[in-house]
Amino acid sequence: PFLWVYVLLGIALMTTAVFFIVSKWRKTIFLPAMAIAAVIACAVHIGYTYIAVIPIENYATEEEHLIEATLTEEPHRSYEKVYYQLKTVTIDGDKADGKLLLKLPRMIDVEVDDILSFRSQINVTENQYFRAKGFYIVSDSYDTVVTAVTPESHSLYYQAVRMRKSMREAFDMYLPEDSAALCKAVLIGDKYALD
């Protein structure tokens, strides 16, 4: 799947070599710098894939895994499913650092920073929108039983989420539905209320 990255890396390496061999091109700093930037970008992409993406995608198997993860964003409903954005802590007891998207048919009583535990099968995320946000694995099961534990101390981000939630409730209380949806989208980035 990353063949185009390897092809681009090869072209960038050859281009960089040509720019440094041909003396009249070497005098201009712009072209060699662009070629070096392309080489670095490809190397970073390949490195990130092998260090972060492939290890977390290795958990996508037919068997169920015991997952412990922290809720990083408020859940949102879309197309009759509720999406929970999680940062994995452990999978099957092993330390696992990655993002997981949990899809459930119902809303559960959890808040940002809560530690969720559940047993589920994991699949590779096919949705490019979520992959761009770093969610390479997904749990999509109707019968997943989730238990949640509230941590003793909360992160600074938790306070920002609480403030955002208060603003959302104020918009809903004092504005008409369509105006509230627009204000939530523009002012606090909550686009889920828009039709």
Side-chain angles (χ1 to χ4, degrees):
F2 300 104
L3 178 64
W4 63 271
V5 179
Y6 292 111
V7 170
L8 185 59
L9 179 61
I11 293 169
L13 284 170
M14 287 188 303
T15 308
T16 304
V18 168
F19 283 139
F20 283 106
I21 291 170
V22 179
S23 62
K24 72 175 185 176
W25 288 343
R26 193 173 46 221
K27 291 177 184 173
T28 1
I29 191 72
F30 180 70
L31 294 176
M34 233 171 47
I36 290 171
V39 169
I40 292 170
C42 289
V44 166
H45 187 288
I46 292 168
Y48 180 77
T49 299
Y50 282 103
I51 292 170
V53 179
I54 291 175
I56 201 74
E57 283 185 344
N58 285 338
Y59 289 105
T61 60
E62 296 292 322
E63 60 196 49
E64 286 191 342
H65 299 278
L66 179 61
I67 301 158
E68 190 174 275
T70 305
L71 185 65
T72 58
E73 279 292 335
E74 289 181 283
H76 69 275
R77 183 178 295 279
S78 178
Y79 298 108
E80 298 179 5
K81 286 205 175 178
V82 182
Y83 290 74
Y84 299 86
Q85 298 179 20
L86 307 173
K87 183 174 187 328
T88 57
V89 178
T90 62
I91 298 177
D92 295 332
D94 299 328
K95 189 175 184 314
D97 187 23
K99 290 181 175 180
L100 173 108
L101 189 65
L102 173 63
K103 298 181 189 177
L104 294 175
R106 67 201 174 282
M107 189 70 84
I108 55 175
D109 186 24
V110 290
E111 287 190 355
V112 170
D113 275 358
D114 283 359
I115 299 167
L116 280 55
S117 299
F118 56 96
R119 184 172 289 281
S120 176
Q121 183 180 346
I122 299 173
N123 299 310
V124 173
T125 308
E126 299 296 332
N127 187 309
Q128 292 303 317
Y129 171 77
F130 289 118
R131 288 188 73 83
K133 289 182 157 257
F135 293 94
Y136 300 108
I137 53 175
V138 62
S139 170
D140 189 0
S141 176
Y142 278 89
D143 55 354
T144 301
V145 177
V146 179
T147 58
V149 176
T150 303
E152 293 178 11
S153 62
H154 290 286
S155 64
L156 184 61
Y157 184 69
Y158 171 78
Q159 304 304 329
V161 169
R162 285 189 60 193
M163 189 180 342
R164 186 171 64 190
K165 189 174 182 179
S166 299
M167 290 174 70
R168 184 183 307 114
E169 289 169 357
F171 290 140
D172 288 336
M173 188 181 304
Y174 296 112
L175 294 174
E177 186 178 339
D178 53 348
S179 300
L182 183 61
C183 285
K184 286 188 284 187
V186 172
L187 297 175
I188 58 177
D190 185 358
K191 60 186 179 300
Y192 301 112
L194 294 173
D195 57 19

